[in-house]
């Protein structure tokens, strides 16, 4: 068998969508599994809808995900993507071949004429199919139209190609994911393959590129199934080998509508910005349609590749459960080695003056706050009370529910007084506070939990958070006691 070659072919009309990332991953896995090649091709024939910013985003997002492609034009020693707009000189040659073989023809219809045809179809409640009005124009008629200043588009002659290569009007193919699929090609109108301005359309350019890049397997979203029939006919008309196709089910939002921004992030870069790890994103999207044979959902890309079989991909749609992704992300955060985690978190700590902490204090702060992180960005809020020196913002709930009680006031007065004499190390504070709590329990019946709650509310301004003893040690004696003192309500003497 020839070498397996697959591609991801995003159109840069937006940032890399999480659905495209899944398609890229499945292609990448398929290539890996079969010792094949994975190719990136930017499909930017539609100049109005594309921008360099999106090209860069696609490029960077795939790199960040580790979905590196195996070949492409040399850019500074790295593989760049193949880009359709840089290949415009390639496409006319095959248009000419199609014209010569009679599988394409020039169409001089104006947008107004086409619109009128469409309106007529709507009026008659019929699906619109181009009338083939220009199929048999004579050279004289064409010359006349040209003289009027009309520039022709090129249309593919669907029925002619179908008749040349198939016994009936039904075109069938074996989809790697969905099994046998078929369509009556009478329902496909002769479609434009090159616009009158000379730009190739998607269905045409994709075939030329897949053929010239020797793509053996086309794996993409099921929204492209209707295009596949058109593309197969072009492959056949040009005598190219038809690749195998595999169409993946769509990714739907939890409410079963199309996944869109109103449900949450949809672009890989937005997920990353929000604090999702690329490992979690990849693991999560792999499970949208694919199930591990051992039922173990947490898997690295290499493990997934070893277990991956394209024909086992579910042909139905998958639901994008943001909650499951969050769960997975928190798992991956827990698995990160401390030094890697620290580096990743720095991006979310820029609003703080990190010089307030020694490197050891910083490390300890991360150690005691990392456990509940669901997103890396959660760290911003989780550590806010470590900064600000002797001042802390106390949230209203802590003030009303905790600090205003007699119990809390008693505790804080004792804490600031006794604390002055304590050696302020984590180990020692641990012991001292144990005695402190026990004493309050014995003398006043205060539950140890409430004693610590009072200190927490005053020192961190919150009712919950990380290990309190460690927090005190990191903040230091002076800051901790000043904060506690600030929460003591002054009573008139
Ligand atoms: N450029 C197409 C898109 O972004 C994909 C083409 C394909 O995979 O054949 O939807």
């Amino acid at each position: 068998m020839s070498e397996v070659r697959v591609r991801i072919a995003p159109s840069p009309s937006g940032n890399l969508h999480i659905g495209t990332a899944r398609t890229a991953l499945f292609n990448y896995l398929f290539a890996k599994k079969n010792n094949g090649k994975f190719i990136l091709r930017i499909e930017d024939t539609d100049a109005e809808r594309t921008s360099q910013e999106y090209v860069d985003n696609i490029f960077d997002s795939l790199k960040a995900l580790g979905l590196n492609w195996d070949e492409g034009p040399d850019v500074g020693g790295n593989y760049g993507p193949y880009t359709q707009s840089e290949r415009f000189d390639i496409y006319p040659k095959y248009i000419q071949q199609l014209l010569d073989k009679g599988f394409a023809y020039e169409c001089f219809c104006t947008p107004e004429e086409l619109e009128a045809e469409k309106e007529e179809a709507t009026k008659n409640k019929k699906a619109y199919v181009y009338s083939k009005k220009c199929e048999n124009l004579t050279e004289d008629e064409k010359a006349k139209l040209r003289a009027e200043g009309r520039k022709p588009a090129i249309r593919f002659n669907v029925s002619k190609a179908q008749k040349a290569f198939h016994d009936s009007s039904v075109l069938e193919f074996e989809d790697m994911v969905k099994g046998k699929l078929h369509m009556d090609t009478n329902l496909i109108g002769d479609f434009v393959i090159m616009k009158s301005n000379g730009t190739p359309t998607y269905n045409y350019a994709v075939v030329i590129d897949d053929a010239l890049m020797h793509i053996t397997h086309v794996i993409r979203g099921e929204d492209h199934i209707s295009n596949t029939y058109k593309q197969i006919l072009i492959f056949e008309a040009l005598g190219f080998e038809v690749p195998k196709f595999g169409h993946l089910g769509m990714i739907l939002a939890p409410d079963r509508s199309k996944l869109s921004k109103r449900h949450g992030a949809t672009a890989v870069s937005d997920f990353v910005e929000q604090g999702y790890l690329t490992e979690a994103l990849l693991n999560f999207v792999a499970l949208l349609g694919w199930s591990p044979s051992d039922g173990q959902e947490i898997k690295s890309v290499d493990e997934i590749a070893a277990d991956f079989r394209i024909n086992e991909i579910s042909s139905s749609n998958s639901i994008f459960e943001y909650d499951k992704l969050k769960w997975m992300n928190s798992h991956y955060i827990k698995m990160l080695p401390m030094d890697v985690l620290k580096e990743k978190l720095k991006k979310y700590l820029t609003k703080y003056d990190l010089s307030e902490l020694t490197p050891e204090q910083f490390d300890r702060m991360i150690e005691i706050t990392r456990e509940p992180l669901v997103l890396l960005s959660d760290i911003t809020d989780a550590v806010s009370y470590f900064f600000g020196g002797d001042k802390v913002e106390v949230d209203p709930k802590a003030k009303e529910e905790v600090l205003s009680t007699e119990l809390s006031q008693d505790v804080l007065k004792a804490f600031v007084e006794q604390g002055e004499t304590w050696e302020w190390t984590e180990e020692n504070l641990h012991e001292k506070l144990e005695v402190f709590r026990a004493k309050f329990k014995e003398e006043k019946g205060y539950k140890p939990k409430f004693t610590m709650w009072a200190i927490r509310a005053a020192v961190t301004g919150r009712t919950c958070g990380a290990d309190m003893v460690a927090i005190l040690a990191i903040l230091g004696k002076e800051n901790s006691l000043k904060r506690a003192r600030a929460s003591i309500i002054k009573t008139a003497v």
Side-chain angles (χ1 to χ4, degrees):
M1 200 180 116
S2 58
E3 181 190 51
V4 163
R5 290 171 64 81
V6 294
R7 80 319 189 257
I8 182 73
S11 302
S13 54
N15 290 336
L16 186 79
H17 193 274
I18 191 77
T20 313
R22 179 190 62 158
T23 309
L25 173 64
F26 284 1
N27 276 283
Y28 176 89
L29 292 170
F30 188 73
K32 224 171 158 62
K33 177 95 189 180
N34 294 289
N35 290 321
K37 292 267 185 324
F38 170 61
I39 287 161
L40 168 63
R41 183 173 71 229
I42 301 290
E43 301 209 321
D44 59 349
T45 52
D46 187 351
E48 274 167 33
R49 296 185 58 221
T50 68
S51 89
Q52 187 57 39
E53 183 196 328
Y54 296 141
V55 174
D56 294 344
N57 181 277
I58 290 168
F59 198 87
D60 294 345
S61 300
L62 287 171
K63 289 246 169 236
L65 290 167
L67 299 176
N68 297 314
W69 47 101
D70 297 309
E71 58 176 62
D74 186 344
V75 279
N78 292 313
Y79 292 131
Y82 292 113
T83 304
Q84 285 187 329
S85 60
E86 288 166 12
R87 297 165 58 80
F88 273 1
D89 52 336
I90 296 175
Y91 304 116
K93 174 177 156 195
Y94 298 94
I95 291 283
Q96 194 54 51
Q97 282 188 17
L98 289 171
L99 288 168
D100 293 346
K101 290 181 180 178
F103 290 127
Y105 57 87
E106 290 176 308
C107 171
F108 292 84
C109 291
T110 61
E112 294 74 28
E113 284 168 338
L114 295 172
E115 203 40 54
E117 278 193 3
K118 278 184 200 156
E119 272 170 24
E120 185 67 18
T122 316
K123 218 171 79 193
N124 299 329
K125 298 200 164 60
K126 280 193 171 158
Y128 171 67
V129 173
Y130 174 62
S131 64
K132 281 180 178 278
K133 199 160 115 191
C134 296
E135 185 188 11
N136 296 310
L137 292 178
T138 62
E139 288 310 316
D140 279 354
E141 285 167 328
K142 287 189 209 170
K144 239 181 171 169
L145 290 161
R146 274 204 181 82
E148 280 175 23
R150 293 204 197 186
K151 274 202 173 137
I154 310 296
R155 281 187 191 268
F156 186 75
N157 196 328
V158 174
S159 56
K160 200 136 180 217
Q162 177 70 20
K163 273 197 198 105
F165 303 101
H166 303 275
D167 294 336
S168 77
S169 65
V170 176
L171 180 55
E172 186 180 273
F173 73 96
E174 182 73 34
D175 189 279
M176 290 184 286
V177 178
K178 297 193 175 273
K180 272 197 189 352
L181 294 175
H182 59 86
M183 183 180 187
D184 185 344
T185 52
N186 285 329
L187 302 173
I188 309 174
D190 290 351
F191 55 93
V192 171
I193 51 179
M194 188 162 272
K195 294 186 199 164
S196 56
N197 66 6
T199 39
T201 60
Y202 158 68
N203 274 310
Y204 169 70
V206 79
V207 170
I208 304 306
D209 285 342
D210 283 342
L212 298 186
M213 292 175 189
H214 305 290
I215 299 301
T216 56
H217 299 77
V218 171
I219 303 165
R220 60 187 173 193
E222 68 177 28
D223 49 333
H224 283 291
I225 291 178
S226 59
N227 289 324
T228 303
Y229 300 99
K230 297 178 180 172
Q231 293 169 17
I232 288 174
L233 290 175
I234 303 178
F235 275 108
E236 291 174 336
L238 285 167
F240 289 135
E241 197 174 326
V242 183
K244 290 197 163 51
F245 293 93
H247 289 94
L248 310 171
M250 302 307 283
I251 300 176
L252 302 180
D255 65 5
R256 312 219 162 213
S257 64
K258 188 167 177 264
L259 189 68
S260 76
K261 281 191 186 140
R262 80 192 153 87
H263 300 107
T266 53
V268 168
S269 48
D270 289 341
F271 281 105
V272 170
E273 191 56 39
Q274 286 180 12
Y276 287 94
L277 294 172
T278 50
E279 297 88 326
L281 285 171
L282 276 181
N283 193 160
F284 176 76
V285 295
L287 298 173
L288 298 174
W290 171 83
S291 315
S293 53
D294 61 1
Q296 252 309 320
E297 293 199 313
I298 300 279
K299 286 236 164 21
S300 69
V301 170
D302 285 343
E303 288 168 327
I304 296 169
D307 197 20
F308 185 77
R309 271 165 293 271
I310 185 99
N311 58 345
E312 287 174 8
I313 286 182
S314 153
S315 63
S316 43
N317 295 333
S318 313
I319 305 292
F320 196 98
E321 306 279 5
Y322 283 90
D323 288 343
K324 182 168 178 180
L325 172 58
K326 282 188 177 155
W327 163 77
M328 215 167 233
N329 202 55
S330 72
H331 172 84
Y332 274 93
I333 290 178
K334 287 185 183 57
M335 305 296 285
L336 283 183
M338 183 60 180
D339 50 339
V340 178
L341 176 66
K342 261 177 11 191
E343 274 318 301
K344 289 191 185 288
L345 291 177
K346 281 195 176 142
K347 175 172 154 197
Y348 301 97
L349 297 172
T350 50
K351 69 185 256 198
Y352 302 118
D353 177 5
L354 297 186
S355 71
E356 286 185 36
L357 303 176
T358 65
E360 292 73 27
Q361 288 170 332
F362 180 83
D363 286 2
R364 187 74 183 119
M365 174 184 81
I366 301 299
E367 255 169 39
I368 62 169
T369 48
R370 66 178 291 176
E371 173 66 22
L373 298 180
V374 173
L375 304 177
L376 293 174
S377 53
D378 290 343
I379 197 71
T380 315
D381 180 62
V383 300
S384 67
Y385 52 77
F386 288 95
F387 300 92
D390 58 8
K391 294 200 176 45
V392 70
E393 199 182 315
V394 179
D395 77 38
K397 190 173 168 222
K399 210 174 253 171
E400 279 157 34
E401 290 179 16
V402 185
L403 295 174
S404 61
T405 66
E406 194 184 322
L407 177 154
S408 294
Q409 291 297 314
D410 283 351
V411 168
L412 292 176
K413 280 174 201 152
F415 177 63
V416 294
E417 200 184 301
Q418 295 173 37
E420 282 296 352
T421 66
W422 294 344
E423 183 203 347
W424 212 262
T425 61
E426 196 172 327
E427 210 187 343
N428 190 49
L429 284 168
H430 200 79
E431 278 171 29
K432 292 285 187 220
L433 281 162
E434 209 161 290
V435 176
F436 184 81
R437 288 194 295 256
K439 226 164 146 221
F440 264 116
K441 168 109 180 52
E442 200 185 299
E443 288 174 7
K444 299 216 166 187
Y446 294 170
K447 282 193 181 145
K449 187 170 88 181
F450 291 138
T451 305
M452 288 309 278
W453 216 21
I455 297 174
R456 178 181 299 282
V459 175
T460 71
R462 308 213 180 160
T463 51
C464 54
D467 182 281
M468 197 53 224
V469 175
I471 295 171
L472 290 171
I474 294 168
L475 281 171
K477 185 191 275 193
E478 198 184 327
N479 288 339
S480 299
L481 295 181
K482 275 193 176 156
R483 288 182 182 191
R485 208 168 279 126
S487 280
I488 296 173
I489 301 162
K490 315 254 176 324
T491 39
V493 219

